[in-house]
Amino acid sequence: MIPFSLRLAVSGGRAALARLVTIAAAVAIGVGLLLSTLAGLHAIDRANERQFWMNTGVKGATATAAVDPLWWGARVDYYRGQSVFQADVAPTGATSPVPPGLSKLPAPGEYYASPALAKLLREVPAVELGDRFPGRLAGTLGDDALPSPDTLAVIIGRTVEEVKALPRATTVTSVATALPVECDNDCYGSGVHGDALVLVLTVVAGALIFPVLIFIGTATRLSAATREQRYAAMRLVGATPGQVSLMSAVESTVAAVAGTVLGLGVYAALKPLMADVPFTGDRFFTDDLSVGLPQVAGVVLGVPVAAALAARFALRRVTISPLGVSRRVTPKPPSAWRVVPLLVGLGELGYFVGRRPATTDAQSMAYLAGFGLVMFGLVIAGPWLTMAASRGVARRTSRPATLIAMRRLGDDPKAGFRSVAGLVLALFVTTATLCIIGTINVNEGALNGTPEVLKAVVATPPGGPDSRLGLPAVPDGVVARARAVPGFEGMALVHDNPAGIGAYQYGRERIVPPLVRCSELAQIPVVGHCAPGAAVALIDRNQFLNLQAEGEKEWPAAPISADEVTTLPVRIIYATTDGSKTAQEQLRTLFMKEFPNYSVRMAEDWSSEGQKKLQGWRQLANVVLLATLPIAGCSLAVSVVAGLSDRRRPFAMLRLTGAPLRLLQRVLGLESALPLLVVSAVAIGTGFAAAAMFLKAQMNFDLASPGAPYYGLTGFGLAASLGIIASTLPLLKRITGPEAARNG
C-alpha cells in the first residue's frame, strides 16, 4: 500500500507536484528557522560555559584537588568601552592547574592574550594598551577559554610575590567550571545567566518558535479539501478507512520529509549569518551554533509525524463515511469559553507583579508559562473573536459581498481565522518584544554622567575609597608624564584626612571627608570649586569616585595648609581630558602601569557592559522582526492560496449562478481581512498588556511607548498582509472556471 501511496503522491499531475513542492518549501523554511532558534539558545549556553573559568577563586565556584596550588588574581579592565579580563597567575609547583585555552602556564615576564586582544596589541600604540601588560606576548588563548571571537582576555605570568600583592589574590587547586549561586561583585564570567535580561531572551526564543510551528502546520494542510474529495471517492470504490489514512499520511509525510531535509540545509546556510549577529552583545563562534542529536532527532522525526497527524485529522470525515465530504454541515460554533486561556495567561503574568520569583529558573518558568498561555489563548480565542465580529458586521450590512463573507465566516470561523493565525502571533510577539526591549533601553540606555564627566579618568585603590592601600604619594615624574599626554586638561589628587577635619555623623557611620588642594581642584571644575580664598577643600569622595558632575558646588574650606596636604597619602587620582579616546586610554595605561594595584575607570566603562547587552537586545528585536513577520507573511500567503484552492468548487458554482467575479473577489478579501484586523487588534493590545506586566514584575519598569518605528512597522505589516490577500484575488478567475464545478 505504501508504494501505491507514494506513486499516487507524485503522479497526480502538475497540481499535485506543485502542492508537494509548496509544502516542502514551507516546511524547509520553518525547520530551518526552528533549528536556528534552538542553535542560538545552545550557543548562549556554550558561551556561558566557556567563561566559567574566569570565576576561579570565587567562593562556591572552585573545587579542591590534590595538586600544587596556583596563585590567582583576577580583575576586569576596559579599553574603549570593551571589557578586558585579566588573570595574573603564579604556579607553586609542576602540578598547578592550567586554565582552559592553554597547554601550559605562562612564565613570569610573558602572557597569553585572546586573538582579538592580540590583534589590538599589534594595531594600537603601546602607550594606549600594551604597556598595561608586563613582559612579552608568548601566544594566544584557545577558543575553549573564550565565550566569543570578540572577547578580550589575557593571562599574565608573574612571580608568587607579585601575585600575592594584588587585590583579591588567592590560591586555588582547580579552575572553576560552574557559576556560583551568588556572585555579588566577584564573578567575572557570569555570562547571560544571572542577568535579569535572560528572561527577555527566553521569552523571545519561545515566541519565535510558536509562529514557526504555526507555519509548518499551515503548510501541511495545503489542498486539504481537494484531498478530502479524492479520498472520499476512493472510499466509495472500496478503500478502507485505514488505507485512506495511510495514503494521506504518506502523501503529507513525503513532502514533510523532503522539506525537513531541505530545512537542514537552510539551517546550515543561516549558521554563518547568525554567528555575525551580536544577539547578547558579542558574536558567537560558528561551531557553537549547533544543535544536539536529541533536538535534531526531535525535529527530523517530529515534523513528518506532525504532518501525518495533521493529514489524518483533516480527513476525519472521510474515514467516518465516504459521503462525509459531500454532506457538509455547518460546524458547531465556538463558545465564549475559548477566551479563558487568554485571560488565564494574562492573569498569570499579572499575578507576579510584586511577587517576582526568587530564582532565575523560577522566573523563566513563570514568564514562559504566562507568555505561552497568552499565545495559545490567542490561537484558541481567534475563531470565537472572528465569529463574534462577523455576526456583528452581518447584522449591520446590506451589501451582498459583505453579507456573504460574514455569513461564511460566521458558519466556519475556524477556517477563516486559520489563515491569519501566524500573522496574529507575529504581531503579538513583535509588540511584546519591542515594548520590552524599548522600555529597557529607555531606562538603562543612557551613559552615566554629563558630557564633561565622560571626559574624566579616575584611579582608586583596591577595595574602594575606604581601602588602606592608598599611595604615599604620586611621583612627580608620573604627574609630568600625565600632563604631557596630548589632550590632557587637568588633574587633582584626593588625599586622606587622618586628623578627621570636618568629620560628621551620618546615621551610625562617621564620615571623614577627604582633602583636595584648591589649585588642583580649579583644574577640574566639573566637580565643583573652592570657597574664595581657600587653599584646601573638604569634598565628598562619592562625587569623585562615581564621576558625578557638581560644577556649581562650592566645597567648604579645610583649616590645613596646601603643603601639609601634599604630605598625606593619596586616595583618588582624578584627571580630565578634552574627551578624546586616545588621551583617556593613554592616561588609563599610565596609571595602570605605575600603580598596578589601582583600579582605573571612566564613566563609559560603567555603562559599556550594559550598553553592549542593550545593543544585543536591539539586535534581537531586529531578528524578531526579520523572522516573525516574513514567517507570518508566508503563512498568510500559503493559507489564503490553500483556502482559495479548497473552495474553488463553491466559488465556481456561484459564478455559474451569475455571481460577478468582482463580487466573489470582494467576498474572498473580506473573509481574510476581517479576522486579520479584528484579532490583530486584540493581539496588539494583549502584547502591550503582557509586556507591561512582565516589565513591572521582573524589572519594576513602567511601560514606555515603543515609538514611531513600531507603529510604522505595524502599519506596514498590516498593509503588506492586506496586499498579500489582494495579490491572490486574480487567481480566483483562473481556478473557478466551469470545469471546477464538476463533481469528482
Side-chain angles (χ1 to χ4, degrees), residues 142-273:
D143 292 349
D144 289 347
L146 308 174
S148 166
D150 301 324
T151 299
L152 303 182
V154 60
I155 299 179
I156 302 174
R158 295 184 184 268
T159 64
V160 172
E161 290 72 22
E162 288 174 333
V163 178
K164 282 183 179 180
L166 296 175
R168 297 182 179 177
T170 185
T171 57
V172 298
T173 55
S174 67
V175 176
T177 57
L179 182 68
V181 177
E182 294 184 3
C183 283
D184 294 327
N185 296 320
D186 297 326
C187 289
Y188 299 110
S190 60
V192 175
H193 291 299
D195 191 325
L197 294 180
V198 69
L199 277 307
V200 178
L201 185 67
T202 305
V203 170
V204 169
L208 274 173
I209 292 174
F210 220 87
V212 170
L213 296 178
I214 291 288
F215 182 36
I216 293 175
T218 300
T220 58
R221 292 178 57 89
L222 276 172
S223 299
T226 302
R227 285 180 286 172
E228 279 185 345
Q229 294 177 359
R230 185 174 61 193
Y231 293 134
M234 292 181 181
R235 287 292 317 277
L236 288 173
V237 296
T240 66
Q243 290 173 330
V244 169
S245 296
L246 179 61
M247 286 186 287
S248 171
V250 168
E251 182 178 13
S252 296
T253 303
V254 166
V257 168
T260 301
V261 173
L262 292 174
L264 295 175
V266 173
Y267 157 66
L270 290 176
K271 277 182 66 174
L273 300 178

Side-chain angles (χ1 to χ4, degrees), residues 45-80:
D45 285 338
R46 287 290 295 127
N48 287 341
E49 294 170 1
R50 289 175 185 270
Q51 57 188 315
F52 285 157
W53 68 274
M54 299 178 182
N55 300 315
T56 298
V58 177
K59 182 179 179 181
T62 309
T64 57
V67 298
D68 294 322
L70 173 71
W71 275 96
W72 176 277
R75 64 188 296 177
V76 171
D77 181 23
Y78 291 87
Y79 175 75
R80 299 203 175 198

Side-chain angles (χ1 to χ4, degrees), residues 652-673:
M653 295 295 291
L654 287 172
R655 286 193 67 186
L656 287 177
T657 59
L661 178 63
R662 187 174 297 275
L663 173 70
L664 299 181
Q665 289 176 336
R666 285 199 295 267
V667 169
L668 181 62
L670 288 170
E671 284 185 11
S672 301

Side-chain angles (χ1 to χ4, degrees), residues 529-673:
H529 59 273
C530 290
V536 178
L538 295 166
I539 58 98
D540 181 353
R541 65 187 180 189
N542 290 326
Q543 303 298 131
F544 285 67
L545 182 68
N546 297 333
L547 292 167
Q548 299 174 7
E550 289 286 351
E552 302 301 320
K553 177 73 174 181
E554 181 177 287
W555 300 107
I560 185 174
S561 69
D563 292 337
E564 291 177 287
V565 169
T566 304
T567 64
L568 298 176
V570 175
R571 180 62 45 192
I572 300 172
I573 304 172
Y574 194 108
T576 58
T577 68
D578 60 1
S580 72
K581 299 296 183 183
T582 299
Q584 289 179 310
E585 295 301 339
Q586 286 192 27
L587 286 175
R588 189 207 299 267
T589 301
L590 172 63
F591 294 153
M592 290 185 64
K593 180 180 179 181
E594 296 297 329
F595 316 120
N597 289 346
Y598 263 47
S599 175
V600 185
R601 292 287 184 267
M602 296 183 289
E604 181 185 34
D605 300 339
W606 290 331
S607 56
S608 63
E609 287 300 308
Q611 286 289 309
K612 184 174 69 172
K613 290 180 180 179
L614 290 173
Q615 180 60 30
W617 307 129
R618 296 187 187 104
Q619 294 284 358
L620 186 60
N622 293 335
V623 170
V624 170
L625 300 180
L626 294 175
T628 56
L629 291 182
I631 292 171
C634 293
S635 181
L636 177 63
V638 169
S639 296
V640 172
V641 172
L644 181 58
S645 177
D646 291 343
R647 291 175 289 175
R648 59 190 301 179
R649 188 167 182 272
F651 279 124
M653 295 295 291
L654 287 172
R655 286 193 67 186
L656 287 177
T657 59
L661 178 63
R662 187 174 297 275
L663 173 70
L664 299 181
Q665 289 176 336
R666 285 199 295 267
V667 169
L668 181 62
L670 288 170
E671 284 185 11
S672 301

